[in-house]
Amino acid sequence: MLEVDTTVMTPAPVFETSGHVARFADWMVKDLKTGEVLRADHLVGNVLEARLAGDKEARGLAAQPAKEDDKKKKKKDKAKAAPVKLSDEQVVEYETILAQLDNYSGPELGALCKKHNITNPDTGNEVSEPQQFNLMFASSIGPTGQHPGFLRPETAQGHFLNFSRLLEFNNGRVPFASAQIGRSFRNEISPRAGLLRVREFTMAEIEHFVDPEDKRHERFADVRAVALDLLDRDTQAAGSTRVTRMTIGDAVDKGVVANETLGYFLARIHQFLLKIGIDPARLRFRQHMANEMAHYATDCWDAEIQNSYGWTECVGCADRAAYDLSVHSAKTGHPLVVRQALKEPIVTEKLVAEFNKRTFGQTFGKDSAVIQTLVGGLDEALLAKLQGELAQGSTTVTSSDGREFKLTPDLLTIEKKTFKQSIREFTPNVIEPSFGLGRILYVLLEHSFWSREQDVERGVLSLPAVVAPTKVLIVPLSAKTEFDPLVREVCKCILARYLAGSPAPSFVPHGACSSYLSQCSLRAPSFPATKLRKAGVFSRVDDSNTSIGKRYARNDELGTPYGLTLDFACTSLSYSRLRHLLAAASSCLRRSHVPAVQNRTMTLRERDTTGQLIGSIDEVIDTVIELVNGSIDWAGACRRLPAYDGVQAVE
Ligand code: AMP
């Protein structure tokens, strides 16, 4: 995959050509009294959803009332649900409208507002007829502002404009893909729903270029058995939102998903989302309905993820066919095509019309071009008919304005000729997975956050190690909190000395250990943080003054999946000896020996289960590196290391 980084500010002709200027728009309505602008489909959706919720309440089927926080969050987004009972027919009608809400055109949304008496929920005022609103931010380029431009609404056009170069890098062959991560801008009509709908967001887009006649994917067999929850367009058109669980292999075989490449990417999107921690029960793939599809797409599926705002599109996956390359090529006159040498040349025979240049021009003068265009546009069957008539002596062709021209064999001959084609030229099709990173991150946080049953105040962010910002927490442990600062220094220093194999000062003055430690750790390959860093595993030491429980709890809330604990038992100190040592170190008055490490153990804690294991320092570090890299899971770690019951044996 080739990575590109293209311009954000883009000259207007690019988006005029791509169709965004004319068609990248949403439908909006205005409150007829206040002038407030609302997105037409959101208005219809919110009002009908509120009425259905009110009906449920009136029938005694209401769900739990929203919590105070939820209420605040949804205040601006949602119409209020009044407990009014609807007829059964109305319920079915509203549900059917909601199932295909994305498919309505502007005038249809206007008609729905009228038919169902939909007004601005905040004011109760009537709304205007829907009007189109272009979502691009317009600007001008250059000191005199004579060149109009737009902030890009997607990164995709940058890939298409660089197609020739990308193709060259790929030795002129398809399939190949380019990728880009960057900011995109959309002048959203109502950027509500928290961080889900914003006007500036980061996209990650892949443009995968394929042969239009062969949309197989060489690694499709690897994902064939991946099962997805699919909501196809026929189901939505029938007024239902029920998903069908199907393997992607079956979906492609049955034609539900148009081709293998599109299917391959849907499966990979599914795998990616699960890997980063999205709850599979709240993930579905919804096919776009005909009206909803972007102007460039021939088929499109959205990975939608359920969250506190409903189902939200987080990744789009479209088959853009040859649309973009064709329009840019037509506009610039620069061919954006693949030329493929054929293994076997294709030999064809065709009837070809040849005009006698001398006599033809003399006979028809300025009409010559009209006749040549007429004959040139005839298909094989009509040419054969003309050939037969010429053999009889003459034929006649008629121009679009009704004039007839008589042709004879001295002016025109039609003969069969043999053609040999050794190069095939075609415009590749594009399959495009398009990820909105902000949305994915937002729903991931919602899916990952939970509270411990025994204490709801203790939140846990169950981020998988692959996305957790800090992978490993290093916690120097103390049994008595009043000794925390000194214990931390001494433990670190002892450990650093032990691991560095270097002479540590026998006297450990309070406050001097940190600098000693940093010197040691530079030289100590197996010091936990250094070793983890070398393995590419980001760790963080929490040597704050709080209790071990609090340190675990706050790092659980930050999503750190593993904790390494350096205990007293990693030294040969008895508690009273340690107390003695600490007193000595803290006073900085007497010289005291730091005893050698004897049992060299460390504990490993897992965030979600709070289970702990114990092992030698090297063993534990190797295990945690494997856990973070995903080559073993927690069950595997439990098979490898004994459980820690809170007591460490000191040899
Ligand atoms: P689209 O080109 O409309 O299919 O958008 C591609 C992806 O960009 C979507 O799946 C979203 O994740 C993301 N996206 C689109 N519009 C917005 C927005 N206004 N705010 C945040 N993310 C967005």
Side-chain angles (χ1 to χ4, degrees), residues 304-326:
E304 293 188 333
I305 306 178
Q306 198 179 29
N307 59 84
S308 56
Y309 292 94
W311 286 95
T312 304
E313 175 205 342
C314 292
V315 188
C317 194
D319 185 339
R320 297 177 78 127
Y323 176 83
D324 302 273
L325 293 180
S326 306

mmCIF file of all heavy atoms in Angstrom, residues 304-326:
data_model
loop_
_atom_site.group_PDB
_atom_site.id
_atom_site.type_symbol
_atom_site.label_atom_id
_atom_site.label_comp_id
_atom_site.label_asym_id
_atom_site.label_seq_id
_atom_site.Cartn_x
_atom_site.Cartn_y
_atom_site.Cartn_z
ATOM 1 N N GLU A 304 -21.747 0.489 10.979
ATOM 2 C CA GLU A 304 -22.445 1.336 11.948
ATOM 3 C C GLU A 304 -22.256 0.746 13.342
ATOM 4 O O GLU A 304 -22.355 -0.473 13.527
ATOM 5 C CB GLU A 304 -23.936 1.403 11.624
ATOM 6 C CG GLU A 304 -24.217 2.129 10.320
ATOM 7 C CD GLU A 304 -25.708 2.365 10.090
ATOM 8 O OE1 GLU A 304 -26.538 1.572 10.618
ATOM 9 O OE2 GLU A 304 -26.053 3.303 9.386
ATOM 10 N N ILE A 305 -22.009 1.629 14.288
ATOM 11 C CA ILE A 305 -21.762 1.157 15.656
ATOM 12 C C ILE A 305 -22.765 1.825 16.586
ATOM 13 O O ILE A 305 -22.959 3.048 16.533
ATOM 14 C CB ILE A 305 -20.316 1.458 16.091
ATOM 15 C CG1 ILE A 305 -19.329 0.887 15.063
ATOM 16 C CG2 ILE A 305 -20.041 0.881 17.468
ATOM 17 C CD1 ILE A 305 -17.873 1.164 15.345
ATOM 18 N N GLN A 306 -23.387 1.006 17.419
ATOM 19 C CA GLN A 306 -24.403 1.538 18.332
ATOM 20 C C GLN A 306 -23.727 2.197 19.532
ATOM 21 O O GLN A 306 -22.773 1.653 20.097
ATOM 22 C CB GLN A 306 -25.305 0.401 18.803
ATOM 23 C CG GLN A 306 -26.606 0.897 19.368
ATOM 24 C CD GLN A 306 -27.488 -0.251 19.805
ATOM 25 O OE1 GLN A 306 -26.995 -1.314 20.194
ATOM 26 N NE2 GLN A 306 -28.789 -0.057 19.760
ATOM 27 N N ASN A 307 -24.243 3.348 19.902
ATOM 28 C CA ASN A 307 -23.699 4.074 21.052
ATOM 29 C C ASN A 307 -24.842 4.850 21.684
ATOM 30 O O ASN A 307 -25.995 4.691 21.291
ATOM 31 C CB ASN A 307 -22.548 4.977 20.590
ATOM 32 C CG ASN A 307 -23.009 5.977 19.547
ATOM 33 O OD1 ASN A 307 -23.529 7.018 19.883
ATOM 34 N ND2 ASN A 307 -22.866 5.632 18.265
ATOM 35 N N SER A 308 -24.526 5.723 22.637
ATOM 36 C CA SER A 308 -25.612 6.386 23.360
ATOM 37 C C SER A 308 -26.428 7.322 22.468
ATOM 38 O O SER A 308 -27.489 7.780 22.871
ATOM 39 C CB SER A 308 -25.047 7.160 24.553
ATOM 40 O OG SER A 308 -24.074 8.058 24.089
ATOM 41 N N TYR A 309 -25.957 7.619 21.246
ATOM 42 C CA TYR A 309 -26.721 8.461 20.321
ATOM 43 C C TYR A 309 -27.483 7.639 19.287
ATOM 44 O O TYR A 309 -28.099 8.200 18.394
ATOM 45 C CB TYR A 309 -25.787 9.425 19.591
ATOM 46 C CG TYR A 309 -25.196 10.481 20.497
ATOM 47 C CD1 TYR A 309 -23.948 10.291 21.086
ATOM 48 C CD2 TYR A 309 -25.892 11.656 20.775
ATOM 49 C CE1 TYR A 309 -23.408 11.253 21.918
ATOM 50 C CE2 TYR A 309 -25.353 12.617 21.613
ATOM 51 C CZ TYR A 309 -24.118 12.415 22.185
ATOM 52 O OH TYR A 309 -23.580 13.374 23.010
ATOM 53 N N GLY A 310 -27.398 6.326 19.354
ATOM 54 C CA GLY A 310 -28.050 5.468 18.356
ATOM 55 C C GLY A 310 -26.996 4.766 17.519
ATOM 56 O O GLY A 310 -25.863 4.559 17.963
ATOM 57 N N TRP A 311 -27.386 4.399 16.275
ATOM 58 C CA TRP A 311 -26.430 3.742 15.369
ATOM 59 C C TRP A 311 -25.713 4.808 14.556
ATOM 60 O O TRP A 311 -26.355 5.623 13.898
ATOM 61 C CB TRP A 311 -27.165 2.793 14.415
ATOM 62 C CG TRP A 311 -27.648 1.538 15.065
ATOM 63 C CD1 TRP A 311 -28.891 1.322 15.576
ATOM 64 C CD2 TRP A 311 -26.916 0.330 15.273
ATOM 65 N NE1 TRP A 311 -28.978 0.053 16.099
ATOM 66 C CE2 TRP A 311 -27.770 -0.582 15.923
ATOM 67 C CE3 TRP A 311 -25.609 -0.079 14.984
ATOM 68 C CZ2 TRP A 311 -27.375 -1.864 16.280
ATOM 69 C CZ3 TRP A 311 -25.211 -1.363 15.337
ATOM 70 C CH2 TRP A 311 -26.084 -2.238 15.978
ATOM 71 N N THR A 312 -24.382 4.806 14.581
ATOM 72 C CA THR A 312 -23.618 5.848 13.891
ATOM 73 C C THR A 312 -22.674 5.225 12.877
ATOM 74 O O THR A 312 -21.944 4.266 13.193
ATOM 75 C CB THR A 312 -22.766 6.635 14.920
ATOM 76 O OG1 THR A 312 -23.658 7.141 15.913
ATOM 77 C CG2 THR A 312 -22.023 7.777 14.271
ATOM 78 N N GLU A 313 -22.663 5.814 11.676
ATOM 79 C CA GLU A 313 -21.707 5.355 10.660
ATOM 80 C C GLU A 313 -20.304 5.730 11.103
ATOM 81 O O GLU A 313 -20.023 6.909 11.337
ATOM 82 C CB GLU A 313 -22.007 6.031 9.314
ATOM 83 C CG GLU A 313 -20.976 5.672 8.276
ATOM 84 C CD GLU A 313 -20.811 6.693 7.156
ATOM 85 O OE1 GLU A 313 -21.687 7.534 6.953
ATOM 86 O OE2 GLU A 313 -19.766 6.621 6.497
ATOM 87 N N CYS A 314 -19.427 4.748 11.214
ATOM 88 C CA CYS A 314 -18.043 5.048 11.614
ATOM 89 C C CYS A 314 -17.047 4.759 10.491
ATOM 90 O O CYS A 314 -15.970 5.347 10.447
ATOM 91 C CB CYS A 314 -17.670 4.254 12.859
ATOM 92 S SG CYS A 314 -18.593 4.825 14.287
ATOM 93 N N VAL A 315 -17.389 3.794 9.634
ATOM 94 C CA VAL A 315 -16.533 3.503 8.476
ATOM 95 C C VAL A 315 -17.454 3.311 7.274
ATOM 96 O O VAL A 315 -18.458 2.603 7.373
ATOM 97 C CB VAL A 315 -15.717 2.194 8.667
ATOM 98 C CG1 VAL A 315 -14.697 2.030 7.550
ATOM 99 C CG2 VAL A 315 -15.029 2.145 10.026
ATOM 100 N N GLY A 316 -17.121 3.959 6.174
ATOM 101 C CA GLY A 316 -17.883 3.735 4.940
ATOM 102 C C GLY A 316 -17.029 2.888 4.008
ATOM 103 O O GLY A 316 -15.806 3.010 4.006
ATOM 104 N N CYS A 317 -17.661 2.012 3.225
ATOM 105 C CA CYS A 317 -16.884 1.213 2.274
ATOM 106 C C CYS A 317 -17.643 1.214 0.948
ATOM 107 O O CYS A 317 -18.695 0.590 0.835
ATOM 108 C CB CYS A 317 -16.686 -0.203 2.818
ATOM 109 S SG CYS A 317 -15.420 -1.107 1.928
ATOM 110 N N ALA A 318 -17.109 1.961 -0.024
ATOM 111 C CA ALA A 318 -17.858 2.183 -1.270
ATOM 112 C C ALA A 318 -17.117 1.605 -2.469
ATOM 113 O O ALA A 318 -15.886 1.604 -2.508
ATOM 114 C CB ALA A 318 -18.065 3.674 -1.480
ATOM 115 N N ASP A 319 -17.887 1.126 -3.436
ATOM 116 C CA ASP A 319 -17.338 0.802 -4.749
ATOM 117 C C ASP A 319 -17.583 2.037 -5.609
ATOM 118 O O ASP A 319 -18.717 2.304 -6.005
ATOM 119 C CB ASP A 319 -18.052 -0.431 -5.326
ATOM 120 C CG ASP A 319 -17.430 -0.870 -6.647
ATOM 121 O OD1 ASP A 319 -16.762 -0.031 -7.295
ATOM 122 O OD2 ASP A 319 -17.611 -2.040 -7.039
ATOM 123 N N ARG A 320 -16.526 2.822 -5.860
ATOM 124 C CA ARG A 320 -16.687 4.076 -6.614
ATOM 125 C C ARG A 320 -16.571 3.831 -8.104
ATOM 126 O O ARG A 320 -16.558 4.792 -8.888
ATOM 127 C CB ARG A 320 -15.624 5.091 -6.165
ATOM 128 C CG ARG A 320 -15.737 5.500 -4.716
ATOM 129 C CD ARG A 320 -14.622 6.456 -4.272
ATOM 130 N NE ARG A 320 -14.837 7.808 -4.704
ATOM 131 C CZ ARG A 320 -14.820 8.887 -3.910
ATOM 132 N NH1 ARG A 320 -14.586 8.759 -2.633
ATOM 133 N NH2 ARG A 320 -15.013 10.099 -4.385
ATOM 134 N N ALA A 321 -16.478 2.548 -8.502
ATOM 135 C CA ALA A 321 -16.346 2.156 -9.913
ATOM 136 C C ALA A 321 -15.246 2.999 -10.592
ATOM 137 O O ALA A 321 -14.220 3.288 -9.970
ATOM 138 C CB ALA A 321 -17.692 2.279 -10.616
ATOM 139 N N ALA A 322 -15.485 3.438 -11.855
ATOM 140 C CA ALA A 322 -14.443 4.199 -12.558
ATOM 141 C C ALA A 322 -14.783 5.681 -12.540
ATOM 142 O O ALA A 322 -14.180 6.470 -13.269
ATOM 143 C CB ALA A 322 -14.346 3.701 -13.992
ATOM 144 N N TYR A 323 -15.764 6.058 -11.696
ATOM 145 C CA TYR A 323 -16.302 7.423 -11.753
ATOM 146 C C TYR A 323 -15.214 8.502 -11.687
ATOM 147 O O TYR A 323 -15.071 9.323 -12.590
ATOM 148 C CB TYR A 323 -17.327 7.629 -10.617
ATOM 149 C CG TYR A 323 -17.841 9.039 -10.571
ATOM 150 C CD1 TYR A 323 -18.883 9.440 -11.398
ATOM 151 C CD2 TYR A 323 -17.244 9.992 -9.747
ATOM 152 C CE1 TYR A 323 -19.325 10.755 -11.393
ATOM 153 C CE2 TYR A 323 -17.681 11.304 -9.738
ATOM 154 C CZ TYR A 323 -18.713 11.679 -10.562
ATOM 155 O OH TYR A 323 -19.145 12.970 -10.563
ATOM 156 N N ASP A 324 -14.429 8.492 -10.608
ATOM 157 C CA ASP A 324 -13.513 9.616 -10.375
ATOM 158 C C ASP A 324 -12.426 9.707 -11.442
ATOM 159 O O ASP A 324 -12.158 10.780 -11.973
ATOM 160 C CB ASP A 324 -12.876 9.484 -8.985
ATOM 161 C CG ASP A 324 -13.941 9.453 -7.906
ATOM 162 O OD1 ASP A 324 -14.356 10.511 -7.443
ATOM 163 O OD2 ASP A 324 -14.389 8.336 -7.542
ATOM 164 N N LEU A 325 -11.797 8.554 -11.747
ATOM 165 C CA LEU A 325 -10.717 8.607 -12.736
ATOM 166 C C LEU A 325 -11.271 9.039 -14.089
ATOM 167 O O LEU A 325 -10.632 9.800 -14.825
ATOM 168 C CB LEU A 325 -10.027 7.241 -12.836
ATOM 169 C CG LEU A 325 -9.250 6.798 -11.589
ATOM 170 C CD1 LEU A 325 -8.611 5.435 -11.813
ATOM 171 C CD2 LEU A 325 -8.175 7.827 -11.213
ATOM 172 N N SER A 326 -12.472 8.588 -14.432
ATOM 173 C CA SER A 326 -13.050 8.949 -15.733
ATOM 174 C C SER A 326 -13.305 10.445 -15.826
ATOM 175 O O SER A 326 -12.958 11.080 -16.819
ATOM 176 C CB SER A 326 -14.378 8.223 -15.984
ATOM 177 O OG SER A 326 -14.203 6.858 -15.830
#
